[in-house]
Amino acid sequence: MSKSVKNRYGSAMRLIELERKSRVLTKAQFGCLRDAYTVNVTRGCEFMCVYCYARGYPEAPGPDEVQLYFSLPERLAAELDSPRRRSVIDWIVFNTASDSFQTHPDILETTYRAMRVLLEREIGFSFLTKGWIPNRFIELFSDHPDLVISRIGLVSMSDRYRDLFEPQAATVIERLQNIERLKAAGIGVEVRIDPIIPFWTDDEASIKELYGALAARGVSMVSLSYLHLRPAILGQLQKELPPKEYKVILSCFQSQPWTVIGTSARSKLIPLPLREKGYERFLNLSEGFGIKPLICSCKNPDLHAHWCSVGMRTETTRKPLGKKERQLTLFPC
Ligand code: SF4
């Protein structure tokens, strides 16, 4: 079924309901998420971030179209409860190629039911979002605070940055309010500062403003990663950014070769000296705010970086750990 609607921010989008043929629970093959079970509620994402690598996948829907796996909750329950399942899954990662908190009510309803399926079975999960989290989710999570880790994507306090780079995602204020409401409900909150845009979001004043807002809301840990390029991302930046901003970003990558990074056969990193200086600024400034930054190893293979998902449990042949023994995910990227 196909429905044309406007999203929360007034942009037109077409939602198509899709019956997923393949298994719902799949293992990631890359980086810090290797071997973790991952779930995506949709294919495509209404937030349309200009740097989104998932928009470049061959199977990605066209612009302004999102495909919803409407039967995900039932399929998830069937796979988890199957008598043929020999292993135990006790942790799942949402949103490796989409966002569960897109604004369309049908997407939110499917997300809510899928998350409830997990919590009813004492299965924990983490999610990364740039969307607004409705209150009913916070209420659901508050009944199971040890089973949920929320990760809020926030790179800059600048509304202009959000308008240019993440045009349909939640506003800065809304994301800060997510942090406040999640914290008040006792839910673990981490912030992902990714992608850092050179000369846009990595100067001292911008970092201090962001750290200040996060520290004021009790955030004590962030993960960091600079923008990386793939051919499709380059095309999106060229098409969707103003020429001046595009040229500045392009100039940072011009001397860099296309190379293999993770599962991508053609990627470019910001030159190492530029990244090192930038990360150093983030690290030095963090001390004054009581924030611990982790540099993600997935997109920094040439740096001494962190394995962001330390301690994440994915699948075992043993019984699930009790609550006290459960090791929680740190920054699955
Ligand atoms: S929120 Fe995530 S999945 Fe959605 S467009 Fe932005 S980067 Fe892509």
Side-chain angles (χ1 to χ4, degrees):
M1 201 200 309
S2 163
K3 305 173 188 173
S4 285
V5 290
K6 285 200 186 301
N7 72 12
R8 189 163 178 235
Y9 304 103
S11 296
M13 63 169 280
R14 199 155 63 99
L15 187 80
I16 295 180
E17 292 185 348
L18 204 68
E19 182 68 78
R20 190 167 167 154
K21 302 266 188 314
S22 55
R23 286 170 58 85
V24 167
L25 286 165
T26 56
K27 275 187 179 181
Q29 303 297 323
F30 49 87
C32 302
L33 276 184
R34 186 179 299 279
D35 289 337
Y37 279 97
T38 62
V39 165
N40 286 288
V41 180
T42 63
R43 185 192 280 168
C45 176
E46 68 179 66
F47 293 157
M48 293 293 285
C49 304
V50 296
Y51 51 74
C52 178
Y53 62 83
R55 290 176 58 193
Y57 287 164
E59 67 277 14
D64 307 326
E65 180 180 309
V66 175
Q67 298 168 351
L68 170 65
Y69 299 122
F70 68 96
S71 59
L72 177 84
E74 293 73 27
R75 296 282 308 276
L76 198 52
E79 286 182 28
L80 290 168
D81 298 344
S82 168
R84 291 197 297 276
R85 173 166 289 287
R86 296 173 60 116
S87 55
V88 173
I89 296 176
D90 69 353
W91 196 264
I92 284 175
V93 179
F94 277 83
N95 302 348
T96 52
S98 65
D99 195 309
S100 291
F101 295 103
Q102 295 168 67
T103 65
H104 194 287
D106 292 2
I107 298 175
L108 289 169
E109 178 60 22
T110 304
T111 298
Y112 185 89
R113 290 193 296 115
M115 289 180 168
R116 202 175 51 195
V117 161
L118 298 179
L119 294 175
E120 283 169 354
R121 289 160 178 77
E122 293 270 298
I123 296 172
F125 58 84
S126 62
F127 60 83
L128 169 64
T129 185
K130 297 185 183 88
W132 163 260
I133 305 172
N135 280 336
R136 65 177 175 142
F137 284 88
I138 310 261
E139 283 160 22
L140 176 70
F141 301 162
S142 68
D143 290 336
H144 312 268
D146 55 332
L147 292 178
V148 181
I149 289 186
S150 59
R151 305 174 64 235
I152 305 298
L154 185 60
V155 170
S156 168
M157 294 292 290
S158 154
D159 288 329
R160 179 156 162 75
Y161 165 83
R162 178 263 183 186
D163 292 346
L164 286 180
F165 290 85
E166 303 161 351
Q168 308 296 336
T171 62
V172 171
I173 297 293
E174 286 174 326
R175 286 185 244 183
L176 292 175
Q177 287 173 350
N178 280 344
I179 296 172
E180 289 165 9
R181 292 178 302 125
L182 287 161
K183 283 263 179 196
I187 314 299
V189 182
E190 300 162 354
V191 170
R192 186 156 174 77
I193 305 177
D194 177 14
I196 301 165
I197 311 288
F199 306 115
W200 252 93
T201 67
D202 65 348
D203 60 284
E204 191 171 318
S206 300
I207 297 170
K208 278 185 175 170
E209 191 184 6
L210 179 58
Y211 276 167
L214 299 182
R217 287 160 181 84
V219 173
S220 58
M221 203 179 279
V222 298
S223 68
L224 307 173
S225 210
Y226 265 92
L227 175 72
H228 76 289
L229 281 192
R230 295 180 185 184
I233 298 176
L234 186 61
Q236 288 161 201
L237 296 176
Q238 184 170 22
K239 201 167 143 206
E240 294 166 25
L241 283 180
K244 190 172 142 219
E245 280 73 11
Y246 170 68
K247 276 185 195 153
V248 172
I249 292 177
L250 188 65
S251 69
C252 298
F253 290 94
Q254 236 150 15
S255 61
Q256 295 294 90
W258 291 106
T259 180
V260 179
I261 297 173
T263 53
S264 168
R266 276 168 64 77
S267 287
K268 281 192 188 199
L269 297 173
I270 303 264
L272 185 58
L274 193 57
R275 262 181 300 136
E276 280 179 326
K277 271 195 188 151
Y279 287 136
E280 205 175 295
R281 262 195 309 282
F282 274 95
L283 295 180
N284 290 339
L285 291 170
S286 68
E287 286 166 18
F289 294 91
I291 288 177
K292 180 177 179 190
L294 297 178
I295 299 169
C296 170
S297 63
C298 300
K299 295 175 201 159
N300 296 281
D302 48 359
L303 267 174
H304 180 69
H306 301 96
W307 183 256
C308 305
S309 36
V310 181
M312 184 171 63
R313 299 182 68 247
T314 53
E315 179 186 62
T316 72
T317 50
R318 295 173 284 131
K319 286 189 173 175
L321 292 178
K323 285 184 182 176
K324 282 196 181 136
E325 300 164 284
R326 193 180 296 276
Q327 299 176 53
L328 297 183
T329 309
L330 282 179
F331 297 122
C333 300

